[in-house]
Amino acid sequence: MTQYSTITSASSYDTYGEDADGKKITDDCIVKPAKPNDYESLFQKLDVKKSGEITLHDFKMALDKLNHPISQKSELIQTIFNAFDSNKDKVIDFNDFKTYLTKTDDQILKGFIKIDQDNDGKLNKADFIHYLKQTLNLKPTDYNIDLLFKQIDFKNDGYITYDEFRDFLILMPRLDGSRIKTAFSYIVEELDISSDGDVTLINQFLNGIGFFLAGGLAGVISRTCTAPFDRIKVFLIARTDLSSTILHSKAQIAEQVRNGVSTHIIEEARKKIAAAEAAAKKAASESAAPKTIRSPIIQAARTLWKQGGIRAFYVGNGLNVLKVFPESAMKFGSFEIAKRFFASIEGVEDTAKLSKPSTYFAGGIGGVVSQFFVYPIDTLKFRLQCSNLDSSLRGNALLIQTAKNMYRDGGLRIFYRGILVGTSGIFPYAALDLGTFSTIKSWLIKRESISKGVREDQVNLPNYMVLGLGAFSGSFGATVVYPINLLRTRLQAQGTYAHPYTYDGFGDVLKQTIAREGYPGLFKGLVPNLAKVAPAVSISYFVYEKLKVAFGLHNHVN
């Protein structure tokens, strides 16, 4: 998001005495606030119908036309509109406009003076960092600091003048006593989409516990709502045949459970799979006319429903949401540490100046560390989902028993089956995701720049477009590395009731998968995996915004 199009006040120097802290304001350190005709010019830009009054609808249209940073933030638009509408008649006339902006200009001027520590009439990066960390008590990442600084420094000359500062903040709501804090909180939010299609707003981790909780809970709710997609994906990965989706009848399952012989169950499962595959081949060769073949996804959904009802679609979801917070914390924390390490090697003080390869490797390291930390939870989830659904054990009892059986069969090592395969897909996924996102975003910005006749650094892509682009790039990366995730899952789930095959390692699982199902077998479950990305993005973002309001993170207008 770049600087939006608005008025620019005329720069001239003057003397203002001292600020509230006793700091002298000399005639060579600050600029005059806007003149009245600046207000008239801006009012004309916002009065899209030229009626002399601005309605909320007009206000939204005007902000969108100006590419304002909050143009896609309905709650912020409502807040700033209410602040302008002093007499609460649901329209803004010029008197309302002038009254509000006179006060606003005074606040922005004082804010500029306060941030400008060396009193030179411009803000450098050090001034900006000091204000965010020491005055606002924020804990921003270097990346987010650089992102917001560049938003304001639209001339891209390395410092922020008063004109740039004022233009950026003049229509920004003043929440929690600071327009800069409003801009920071609402502009630097980003979604993180994993190769499994899960979405978490992890970039708010270091911005405060309230934002981290809101982002984490949004991820929890999103994963819960899209759990059936994940459940169907794992079911399809575990099954090696598509002709029959029911391995055992409920009576057979109950009998085997009563017998308590796990090896018998696994052996029977193998026989059932072999028989189903043989029957499918025979039927295909003898059939004179092709029969209607039901979609594997529909078959999987029907089987899960028959074996456990709605509950079957949420097996393992508790473990899936349990890992949201530690996964986010580990990923982001290790990413920051890795960036600082590479910064020391490259000899740069600001991690925002890291080379692209170093930033890429730092991101990859963050992904590897977080996956290693939560990997045992993933393994337990997959094995839980591949257990027999009609077992007499349910809920926590089944979870605990599954964990005990795993530990008994292979100790801690079994919880890390396929870890090398799993982590090997992180770097290519990150590269594909980032590369696709950057390439398409650059193309969109260039197209908008030509279409609107403005510089590229003045183009502001709307949130829905950025979110959609993020979902697309994440989906593209997930598709390319999907075979790695499938083989990893089979290594984790091997020897279970739903997937009785066993493997010697990555080469063996790859060889057996291709031998039994061909190369298309490497992409089983891809459709439900991709199908959950769009709703996951939408749900995460919607819930996150609502939780910020519920937590009172942005509810004080000053």
Side-chain angles (χ1 to χ4, degrees), residues 472-532:
F472 175 78
S473 62
S475 298
F476 176 72
T479 300
V480 176
V481 303
Y482 188 81
I484 296 177
N485 287 338
L486 179 139
L487 297 174
R488 178 205 71 196
T489 302
R490 287 191 169 180
L491 284 172
Q492 291 173 291
Q494 62 179 300
T496 58
Y497 182 71
H499 193 75
Y501 298 102
T502 56
Y503 310 100
D504 294 332
F506 174 74
D508 191 32
V509 66
L510 175 62
K511 181 180 178 180
Q512 289 193 44
T513 296
I514 295 175
R516 280 193 297 265
E517 305 159 75
Y519 288 100
L522 295 173
F523 292 90
K524 285 179 64 176
L526 174 62
V527 173
N529 189 59
L530 296 180
K532 74 177 183 178

Side-chain angles (χ1 to χ4, degrees), residues 332-556:
F332 206 84
S334 55
F335 177 51
E336 290 299 314
I337 293 173
K339 282 201 303 182
R340 292 189 180 95
F341 172 74
F342 285 120
S344 65
I345 293 178
E346 293 187 1
V348 297
E349 295 183 0
D350 189 351
T351 56
K353 297 179 181 179
L354 270 178
S355 63
K356 287 186 177 180
S358 293
T359 303
Y360 163 65
F361 275 107
I365 289 172
V368 169
V369 171
S370 65
Q371 184 163 102
F372 185 85
F373 185 79
V374 302
Y375 198 83
I377 300 177
D378 265 336
T379 303
L380 181 58
K381 181 194 77 172
F382 291 138
R383 296 184 75 87
L384 190 67
Q385 291 178 326
C386 291
S387 62
N388 63 75
L389 299 181
D390 285 348
S391 170
S392 59
L393 296 177
R394 294 187 179 183
N396 291 334
L398 178 60
L399 173 65
I400 294 172
Q401 187 59 50
T402 302
K404 286 182 177 178
N405 291 342
M406 288 175 62
Y407 186 78
R408 181 193 62 208
D409 294 339
L412 289 176
R413 185 176 180 180
I414 197 174
F415 287 88
Y416 283 93
R417 276 181 177 172
I419 182 66
L420 294 179
V421 179
T423 55
S424 66
I426 290 177
F427 282 95
Y429 169 75
L432 289 166
D433 182 17
L434 181 62
T436 304
F437 184 88
S438 300
T439 301
I440 299 179
K441 184 177 181 181
S442 297
W443 176 77
L444 288 172
I445 289 176
K446 184 173 294 186
R447 187 187 70 172
E448 289 295 300
S449 172
I450 296 173
S451 173
K452 296 180 179 179
V454 297
R455 299 194 313 269
E456 290 186 14
D457 61 358
Q458 292 180 309
V459 174
N460 171 27
L461 296 178
N463 279 359
Y464 75 86
M465 188 177 292
V466 176
L467 290 173
L469 178 55
F472 175 78
S473 62
S475 298
F476 176 72
T479 300
V480 176
V481 303
Y482 188 81
I484 296 177
N485 287 338
L486 179 139
L487 297 174
R488 178 205 71 196
T489 302
R490 287 191 169 180
L491 284 172
Q492 291 173 291
Q494 62 179 300
T496 58
Y497 182 71
H499 193 75
Y501 298 102
T502 56
Y503 310 100
D504 294 332
F506 174 74
D508 191 32
V509 66
L510 175 62
K511 181 180 178 180
Q512 289 193 44
T513 296
I514 295 175
R516 280 193 297 265
E517 305 159 75
Y519 288 100
L522 295 173
F523 292 90
K524 285 179 64 176
L526 174 62
V527 173
N529 189 59
L530 296 180
K532 74 177 183 178
V533 172
V537 169
S538 301
I539 293 169
S540 292
Y541 198 76
F542 174 78
V543 173
Y544 179 63
E545 293 296 330
K546 295 300 180 183
L547 285 175
K548 284 195 300 186
V549 175
F551 289 172
L553 298 177
H554 296 296
N555 60 356
H556 301 294

Side-chain angles (χ1 to χ4, degrees), residues 27 50 92 97 159 169 179 196 203 225 230 243 270 279 306 326 336 343 376 391 398 417 431 446 456 469 501 515 519:
D27 60 358
K50 308 304 177 186
I92 302 171
F97 196 74
Y159 59 87
L169 296 178
R179 291 180 174 82
D196 286 323
N203 285 349
C225 292
D230 186 68
S243 58
R270 288 194 181 102
K306 286 183 177 181
E336 290 299 314
S391 170
L398 178 60
R417 276 181 177 172
K446 184 173 294 186
E456 290 186 14
L469 178 55
Y501 298 102
Y519 288 100

Side-chain angles (χ1 to χ4, degrees), residues 316-329:
N317 184 59
L319 289 173
N320 204 34
V321 301
L322 178 66
K323 69 177 185 177
V324 169
F325 287 98
E327 184 179 29
S328 299

Side-chain angles (χ1 to χ4, degrees), residues 250-310:
K250 290 190 176 183
Q252 288 175 311
I253 293 174
E255 179 64 26
Q256 291 173 343
V257 170
R258 283 195 295 271
N259 292 337
V261 185
S262 60
T263 56
H264 175 65
I265 294 175
I266 298 300
E267 186 59 34
E268 285 297 314
R270 288 194 181 102
K271 291 179 180 179
K272 288 283 186 177
I273 291 176
E277 290 173 342
K281 290 179 181 178
K282 183 178 180 180
S285 63
E286 294 179 353
S287 177
K291 297 181 179 180
T292 301
I293 299 176
R294 183 180 289 114
S295 163
I297 296 176
I298 296 176
Q299 284 182 300
R302 290 179 70 249
T303 300
L304 289 170
W305 178 264
K306 286 183 177 181
Q307 291 187 350
I310 190 66

Side-chain angles (χ1 to χ4, degrees), residues 41-59:
S41 175
L42 182 55
F43 186 84
Q44 291 299 320
K45 288 189 175 185
L46 298 177
D47 183 14
V48 293
K49 294 180 180 177
K50 308 304 177 186
S51 63
E53 294 181 334
I54 304 170
T55 65
L56 178 60
H57 179 69
D58 298 337
F59 197 56

